[in-house]
Amino acid sequence: MSGGEVAGILVAVFWAILVSFLAVALARLAQTLRATTKLVADVTEQAVPLLADASTAVRSAQTQIDRVDAIASDVQEVTSNASALSTTVASTFGGPLVKVAAFGYGVRRAISRKAAPTEEVPVKPSRRTVIVGRTVPSARRTKRANRSKRD
């Protein structure tokens, strides 16, 4: 056997080993592709019902949102009606009630002055106001009250 024949045999063996490795790699690649195809088919089978359920849930949520919107608009209408009613009641009865209260106060004060002209009205204890940790006497208020009692 000559060197060329040995080299030819080595190249042939090398090519046979290389082709074997490539065949094994291609077989594994085909197996992986089959598994991937099966996985995609299973995911598709499961995704279609999930998408249908999701679509149903979205429709149901939209229906509920429409109902809540209707309720909110009704509440807004009731609120505006209540506001209008309270404004009407305040304007209708507020002024006269204030006048009646002021008149009642004036009558009580006049009766109390007429009933006891010599009696002195007891002086209320002076109120103190606390502002940021300081106590401020209400001296001005008591001086005014004393002046009005003298008159």
Side-chain angles (χ1 to χ4, degrees):
M1 233 192 257
S2 70
E5 291 175 350
V6 172
I9 291 175
L10 285 176
V11 169
V13 169
F14 174 73
W15 278 107
I17 293 172
L18 180 65
V19 168
S20 299
F21 281 126
L22 287 175
V24 168
L26 285 175
R28 289 191 179 179
L29 180 63
Q31 185 181 13
T32 304
L33 286 175
R34 272 188 241 114
T36 305
T37 303
K38 184 178 182 240
L39 179 67
V40 168
D42 290 344
V43 167
T44 303
E45 287 176 11
Q46 292 176 0
V48 170
L50 286 175
L51 289 174
D53 291 345
S55 176
T56 304
V58 167
R59 280 192 214 109
S60 174
Q62 182 62 37
T63 303
Q64 296 299 326
I65 287 174
D66 291 341
R67 289 180 183 170
V68 168
D69 188 36
I71 291 170
S73 65
D74 290 344
V75 167
Q76 184 179 10
E77 184 178 338
V78 167
T79 303
S80 65
N81 289 343
S83 176
L85 179 65
S86 68
T87 303
T88 303
V89 168
S91 65
T92 303
F93 296 115
L97 285 178
V98 168
K99 291 177 184 177
V100 167
F103 178 75
Y105 175 74
V107 168
R108 273 186 289 153
R109 190 163 178 191
I111 290 173
S112 68
R113 282 191 181 178
K114 209 174 215 185
T118 58
E119 292 181 23
E120 288 189 25
V121 178
V123 178
K124 294 180 183 176
S126 65
R127 292 178 49 188
R128 296 183 180 269
T129 306
V130 177
I131 300 175
V132 192
R134 295 184 182 168
T135 303
V136 180
S138 57
R140 292 182 187 165
R141 198 176 312 152
T142 56
K143 287 180 184 178
R144 287 182 191 158
N146 291 338
R147 284 186 206 158
S148 65
K149 288 178 189 174
R150 287 184 224 153
D151 296 337

